[in-house]
Amino acid sequence: MAREFGDFEQFFPWYVSQHSKRATRWCHFAGTHLGAATALAGIVTRRPALIAGLPVISYSVAWFSHFVIEKNNPATFGHPLWSLRGDMRMLSMMWQGRDAELERIAQDAIRLTLAA
């Protein structure tokens, strides 16, 4: 059963808490960029099968990180659109060198969940 949230701003800290391990976040980062590079190669070479590789590669790497590293279910299963938006915000923060801030957000959200 998926958790309920009033809006994306309530959802985002929980989303980040589902990526509490640095390796999980970096797998998302790498998988998304590898998928995007594959899709871009498909556009340049006019090979639609490579374009279709974007979600396959990105989600495969991300879901692997959840099952093997984080040992949880991907947030995508319960909140697919907010998870995509959350992933884009998380990756943007990583590009800005704000991974330590994501770590803090994750730990704060976990503490709040445990206190409830």
Side-chain angles (χ1 to χ4, degrees):
M1 187 158 131
R3 289 188 53 179
E4 296 298 322
F5 300 94
D7 60 22
F8 178 76
E9 295 309 317
Q10 290 178 352
F11 170 78
F12 186 68
W14 177 82
Y15 177 81
V16 176
S17 78
Q18 301 304 291
H19 303 81
S20 66
K21 294 180 173 57
R22 189 172 196 267
T24 303
R25 293 190 299 275
W26 284 98
C27 280
H28 275 255
F29 188 90
T32 299
H33 287 82
L34 180 59
T38 302
L40 182 60
I43 291 168
V44 169
T45 61
R46 296 185 181 148
R47 295 174 59 197
L50 290 178
I51 298 168
L54 172 61
V56 173
I57 293 168
S58 298
Y59 282 113
S60 295
V61 174
W63 289 358
F64 169 85
S65 72
H66 282 283
F67 297 134
V68 174
I69 298 168
E70 201 74 39
K71 298 189 181 3
N72 65 12
N73 286 327
T76 305
F77 292 177
H79 301 282
L81 296 179
W82 277 358
S83 291
L84 179 60
R85 183 176 170 189
D87 209 39
M88 293 301 104
R89 181 184 284 183
M90 185 173 72
L91 297 179
S92 172
M93 290 175 73
M94 292 171 78
W95 265 108
Q96 296 169 40
R98 296 167 60 192
D99 193 46
E101 183 179 351
L102 289 167
E103 177 75 25
R104 185 186 46 76
I105 291 168
Q107 295 310 313
D108 288 349
I110 290 168
R111 273 192 288 281
L112 285 173
T113 300
L114 293 175

